[in-house]
Amino acid sequence: MLQMLLKLIVLMFSTLLLVVIRVQVIQSQLPVFTRFDNPAAVSPSPARQLTFNYLLPVNAWLLLNPSELCCDWTMGTIPLVESLLDIRNVATIAFFCFLGTLLIFSLRYAGDSSKTVLMALCLIVLPFIPASNLFFPVGFVVAERVLYVPSMGFCMLVAHGWKKLSSNSVLRKLSWVCLSLVLFIHALKTLHRNWDWESEYTLFMSALKVNKNNAKLWNNVGHALENEKNFERALRFFIQATQVQPDDIGAHMNVGRTYKNLNRTKEAEESYLIAKSLMPQIIPGKKYAARVAPNHLNVYINLANLIRANESRLEEADQLYRQAISMRPDFKQAYISRGELLLKMNKPLQAKEAYLRALELDRSNADLWYNLAIVYIELKDPTEALKNFNRALELNPSHKLALFNSALLMQESGDARLRPEAKKRLLNYVKEEPHDANGYFNLGMLAMDDKKDAEAETWMKKAIKLQPGFRSALFNLALLYSQTAKELKALPVLEELLRYYPDHTKGLILKGDILMNQKKDIRGAKECFEKILKMDPNNVQGKHNLCVVYFEERDLIKAEKCLVETLALAPHEEYIQRHLSIVRSKIALLGTGEAATIPSEKTTASEGGKTPPEDLKGAKNENLKVAKNEQRSSRTTNSDSNKGQAKPKKQGEKNTTDKETKKKSTKEIKDIEKKRVAALKRLEEIERILNGE
């Protein structure tokens, strides 16, 4: 007795522990099932009781004759038993009669045989009780998996019955023949069934051969085809699911999603609207989550995500997100999607509130911290943005977007102390995304900032190799060559850049400057500047450099006229006024005969020095994308337009006017140049913002 009590105590505590663990797993809430999962559970009496009782002989028949196996028995697989006159009630009565007979035999008669039968009945009945719908509804009608342990008891009954038959001398041979036949047939069935489990597609297709009235099976075949990107075939199965079960919300959602994948947005919206119309109405004072599957609420998210592509329907999309939140206040995805939309609507403060609410529900979500960092960038608070990026990386050190954009933020801060960490994060990023040229490009920009020209060249070349025609990488590589006295190596790079982007103004200016200053190809430089003016007649730099070309061609009258027109475009630019004075002085010298010819020794230089690299500032918004979109863009460029502002340099003349010009203070010229470069940078910043580069 003591030993038995000890076993019972251990069994009770073990069971209690399992129950506690199970409650923790389901977060102290029963799962939410819909009427599609178990139609009998929501049916009125007596259909509910008759159907639940009929399911018992159905399970027994699967044990006795597992010929038609199906991976899913929900929805309309087994029609409801709605009347006492239904012929299927005979099977229910026969099952209970047989079970009662076995129970009476095991309890009434003593001996090993009755004990064996009782043990077999216990193995069949007790493990099956939790799945029997007797104490609480379950999320399925029939499930072959719950028959695994009961099948042990069933095998005991078969073995015990065969032993009884084989002990009879008359039936011994027949019992052996029957046993061999059963084993052989079941072995063949097992072998055949294994092929059904080859893939999701074969499994669900085999189920459709058994039952065509289950919409979930049609949906699952569609999902399998969808995973293979076979959207056209998947659509046919999803549509069939809606025909089998017209009120199945999930099926209509699947149709809408597939239409969206096929870029048929109008049909997609219609399907989502049908699914939305099937959602139950809100009952005041009753929790919505208790009456509908949480995944069905995604119809609001999917519909809103679809229509927000239309800029004129952003408010409508926001209303759908708010409706989903009102139905389920703990619907985290609704807050995330709404935050993305609010950012798109330029409402960063409301987006911040949405993300903070989502973080209250899940503080371990790295994507949420990342998205909150984006909000702070929109709010012009880079310090707080970097903190949130760091929090996202603490939770997920390999978060690719956080690695990439936090590195950009560090680089754009201009703080040299942050560059090593920025480089480390970019290196981690390229490990995660080895085929993304943007990572290598930004490593190259970091190397340029650190004056590591050879390393910068390597990274830029790798970015171009991965993404031929990478605009920013091509220009900055050419610029790197021009800044390191390798102008002739820059020309092929510029040719490639202009082959992809013929209207790249900054590239044309840089090419023209190199042709004029290094190759002495005045004609080629002239073509570059004329092309710029053809695209943009008011481009001051292109216009000014064309004036320099005229000067180099010794056409002073044309150079003067050109500079007058350029000065009209930029009347406050001192260097244009100064160059115009120089040209007029030359014309005056020629007019008085004091200078018979234009001096043959001529050089040109860039007004304001070398062209700065394509600016990293302002690319922030283009590169910092929210977690639902895994897109990243390279940092845009904006400051290369200073390159190529060539100015004519005066040659030695005996004229007094020229001598006075030569005597200008060096300090004065440097001050003028500094002011001009600063002004140009400000203009370029404005141009970048207006052009959205």
Side-chain angles (χ1 to χ4, degrees):
M1 182 64 70
L2 183 61
Q3 187 178 10
M4 184 181 69
L5 286 174
L6 183 61
K7 290 180 180 179
L8 287 174
I9 291 172
V10 172
L11 182 62
M12 289 173 61
F13 274 102
S14 300
T15 304
L16 183 62
L17 180 61
L18 288 173
V19 171
V20 170
I21 294 174
R22 176 63 176 169
V23 169
Q24 291 296 321
V25 169
I26 63 176
Q27 298 180 350
S28 303
Q29 292 181 346
L30 285 175
V32 178
F33 300 122
T34 67
R35 58 190 180 86
F36 304 110
D37 299 318
N38 191 350
V42 295
S43 299
S45 299
R48 180 168 64 251
Q49 291 76 14
L50 292 175
T51 304
F52 283 158
N53 283 289
Y54 172 68
L55 295 179
L56 299 177
V58 170
N59 282 278
W61 181 250
L62 284 174
L63 288 174
L64 184 64
N65 181 31
S67 60
E68 294 186 345
L69 298 177
C70 183
C71 60
D72 191 285
W73 294 80
T74 58
M75 305 190 85
T77 304
I78 299 177
L80 297 175
V81 181
E82 298 179 318
S83 171
L84 292 172
L85 300 178
D86 194 312
I87 191 65
R88 290 175 293 176
N89 290 322
V90 176
T92 304
I93 295 170
F95 170 77
F96 279 109
C97 289
F98 181 72
L99 185 65
T101 301
L102 290 177
L103 185 61
I104 291 171
F105 172 79
S106 63
L107 295 176
R108 185 173 181 180
Y109 300 100
D112 293 338
S113 180
S114 61
K115 290 181 180 179
T116 302
V117 172
L118 182 61
M119 182 64 184
L121 288 175
C122 289
L123 280 174
I124 292 173
V125 175
L126 295 179
F128 185 75
I129 287 177
S132 65
N133 288 286
L134 293 178
F135 299 105
F136 46 82
V138 294
F140 52 84
V141 179
V142 173
E144 294 163 11
R145 62 184 179 275
V146 302
L147 296 177
Y148 182 71
V149 177
S151 68
M152 298 179 185
F154 178 76
C155 290
M156 287 181 64
L157 284 178
V158 173
H160 183 63
W162 178 83
K163 182 180 178 181
K164 289 287 187 181
L165 291 174
S166 62
S167 62
N168 189 319
S169 57
V170 178
L171 300 175
R172 181 175 299 172
K173 290 183 179 180
L174 181 61
S175 65
W176 277 103
V177 171
C178 290
L179 179 62
S180 300
L181 185 62
V182 168
L183 291 176
F184 178 72
I185 292 174
H186 280 70
L188 287 179
K189 176 64 177 177
T190 302
L191 184 63
H192 180 267
R193 182 64 170 164
N194 285 340
W195 291 107
D196 292 340
W197 285 83
E198 183 180 11
S199 66
E200 285 189 356
Y201 176 76
T202 57
L203 177 63
F204 295 125
M205 284 301 291
S206 69
L208 280 177
K209 295 175 184 177
V210 176
N211 175 33
K212 290 182 169 58
N213 295 322
N214 186 340
K216 187 180 287 187
L217 293 176
W218 294 98
N219 281 321
N220 286 338
V221 175
H223 287 310
L225 292 169
E226 190 179 31
N227 292 336
E228 297 173 0
K229 308 299 181 184
N230 193 342
F231 298 119
E232 291 288 353
R233 285 191 65 199
L235 180 61
R236 292 199 293 268
F237 281 91
F238 289 141
I239 291 176
Q240 182 62 32
T242 63
Q243 293 173 354
V244 171
Q245 191 81 39
D247 56 351
D248 182 9
I249 298 172
H252 290 286
M253 290 172 62
N254 292 334
V255 172
R257 184 180 63 255
T258 309
Y259 274 131
K260 182 181 179 183
N261 290 332
L262 292 170
N263 295 320
R264 296 166 62 177
T265 55
K266 183 178 179 181
E267 293 92 335
E269 184 175 350
E270 290 173 357
S271 297
Y272 284 139
L273 288 173
I274 294 173
K276 180 173 174 285
S277 68
L278 294 172
M279 295 287 285
Q281 298 299 314
I282 299 176
I283 300 176
K286 189 171 184 179
K287 288 187 177 180
Y288 195 85
R291 300 186 299 112
V292 66
N295 64 310
H296 285 172
L297 287 173
N298 284 323
V299 66
Y300 295 97
I301 306 300
N302 295 341
L303 181 57
N305 290 344
L306 179 69
I307 67 175
R308 78 180 194 181
N310 186 341
E311 296 289 338
S312 64
R313 302 181 68 184
L314 297 182
E315 288 292 344
E316 186 179 347
D318 187 34
Q319 177 63 32
L320 287 168
Y321 290 134
R322 283 184 282 150
Q323 189 173 355
I325 291 170
S326 67
M327 292 177 174
R328 191 179 180 95
D330 60 347
F331 193 8
K332 179 179 65 177
Q333 186 57 46
Y335 290 106
I336 296 174
S337 299
R338 184 168 185 250
E340 296 171 3
L341 177 67
L342 290 169
L343 275 178
K344 187 176 181 179
M345 297 171 68
N346 198 25
K347 297 180 179 179
L349 289 175
Q350 294 183 38
K352 176 183 173 183
E353 293 176 5
Y355 286 132
L356 289 175
R357 181 68 182 91
L359 281 169
E360 292 177 8
L361 301 171
D362 183 7
R363 298 190 67 81
S364 61
N365 189 319
D367 287 339
L368 283 174
W369 291 103
Y370 170 81
N371 289 348
L372 188 59
I374 303 301
V375 172
Y376 279 113
I377 287 176
E378 293 294 327
L379 293 172
K380 312 299 182 186
D381 190 349
T383 303
E384 198 64 32
L386 188 57
K387 289 180 182 177
N388 285 280
F389 278 138
N390 292 339
R391 185 64 184 272
L393 290 171
E394 288 174 8
L395 295 168
N396 181 9
S398 60
H399 194 291
K400 290 179 282 192
L401 285 175
L403 285 170
F404 183 78
N405 290 301
S406 63
L408 289 189
L409 198 59
M410 291 176 178
Q411 187 175 359
E412 292 167 4
S413 70
D415 190 345
R417 295 171 299 177
L418 295 177
R419 286 179 193 162
E421 179 63 23
K423 182 178 180 180
K424 178 182 175 183
R425 294 188 181 186
L426 284 173
L427 288 172
N428 288 334
Y429 173 77
V430 297
K431 287 180 183 177
E432 297 289 331
E433 289 285 345
H435 302 296
D436 186 1
N438 296 311
Y440 300 102
F441 166 70
N442 286 290
L443 281 167
M445 298 304 294
L446 269 177
M448 288 181 71
D449 291 341
D450 290 332
K451 309 301 180 184
K452 297 178 180 178
D453 299 331
E455 183 181 340
E457 181 182 355
T458 301
W459 292 123
M460 291 293 183
K461 286 182 175 179
K462 190 156 188 176
I464 295 168
K465 183 179 179 181
L466 286 171
Q467 184 181 324
F470 192 160
R471 174 174 172 151
S472 297
L474 286 167
F475 179 82
N476 282 287
L477 179 60
L479 190 60
L480 177 65
Y481 285 142
S482 71
Q483 290 177 336
T484 53
K486 299 177 183 177
E487 286 87 351
L488 298 182
K489 291 182 70 175
L491 278 177
V493 181
L494 287 169
E495 292 290 348
E496 185 179 358
L497 171 68
L498 295 171
R499 180 162 58 88
Y500 285 102
Y501 307 100
D503 57 347
H504 194 289
T505 303
K506 304 172 183 73
L508 287 168
I509 288 178
L510 181 57
K511 180 183 176 182
D513 181 70
I514 294 174
L515 289 174
M516 188 158 53
N517 291 332
Q518 304 299 324
K519 299 278 288 186
K520 307 302 180 183
D521 183 0
I522 305 300
R523 182 177 179 181
K526 184 178 182 181
E527 290 176 357
C528 291
F529 301 138
E530 286 178 341
K531 187 173 183 179
I532 293 170
L533 293 178
K534 186 177 180 181
M535 295 183 296
D536 180 12
N538 296 325
N539 187 290
V540 175
Q541 296 162 342
K543 185 85 171 174
H544 171 266
N545 288 359
L546 184 61
C547 301
V548 175
V549 170
Y550 293 148
F551 181 87
E552 293 293 326
E553 291 177 339
R554 305 182 185 183
D555 191 342
L556 298 183
I557 302 301
K558 203 168 185 179
E560 180 190 23
K561 181 181 178 182
C562 177
L563 285 169
V564 169
E565 293 174 355
T566 307
L567 187 62
L569 294 174
H572 302 294
E573 291 290 353
E574 296 180 10
Y575 73 96
I576 300 176
Q577 297 175 1
R578 187 168 65 255
H579 294 172
L580 180 59
S581 299
I582 293 171
V583 171
R584 284 175 173 170
S585 298
K586 292 289 184 182
I587 294 173
L589 288 173
L590 289 173
T592 58
E594 292 185 26
T597 61
I598 296 292
S600 59
E601 183 184 359
K602 302 180 292 298
T603 59
T604 59
S606 296
E607 183 74 30
K610 293 287 183 182
T611 308
E614 295 206 18
D615 196 359
L616 306 178
K617 312 284 184 187
K620 185 165 51 179
N621 294 340
E622 283 69 22
N623 285 295
L624 302 178
K625 302 296 182 198
V626 186
K628 105 184 182 116
N629 300 321
E630 277 280 0
Q631 306 172 356
R632 293 166 301 281
S633 62
S634 64
R635 285 175 296 171
T636 54
T637 63
N638 59 20
S639 299
D640 47 321
S641 55
N642 291 343
K643 187 67 182 177
Q645 292 198 11
K647 64 175 182 180
K649 289 227 176 162
K650 302 178 291 137
Q651 308 304 319
E653 299 284 346
K654 293 182 179 180
N655 185 272
T656 307
T657 307
D658 281 357
K659 288 182 181 179
E660 288 176 356
T661 305
K662 286 183 180 181
K663 290 178 183 179
K664 280 197 172 186
S665 166
T666 303
K667 184 175 182 303
E668 180 185 353
I669 293 174
K670 287 183 178 180
D671 289 342
I672 292 172
E673 295 303 314
K674 287 180 181 178
K675 290 178 181 178
R676 190 194 65 78
V677 170
L680 284 176
K681 284 184 177 180
R682 287 195 299 272
L683 288 172
E684 283 298 313
E685 185 70 9
I686 295 170
E687 179 187 350
R688 177 191 62 73
I689 295 171
L690 293 175
N691 293 337
E693 288 191 6

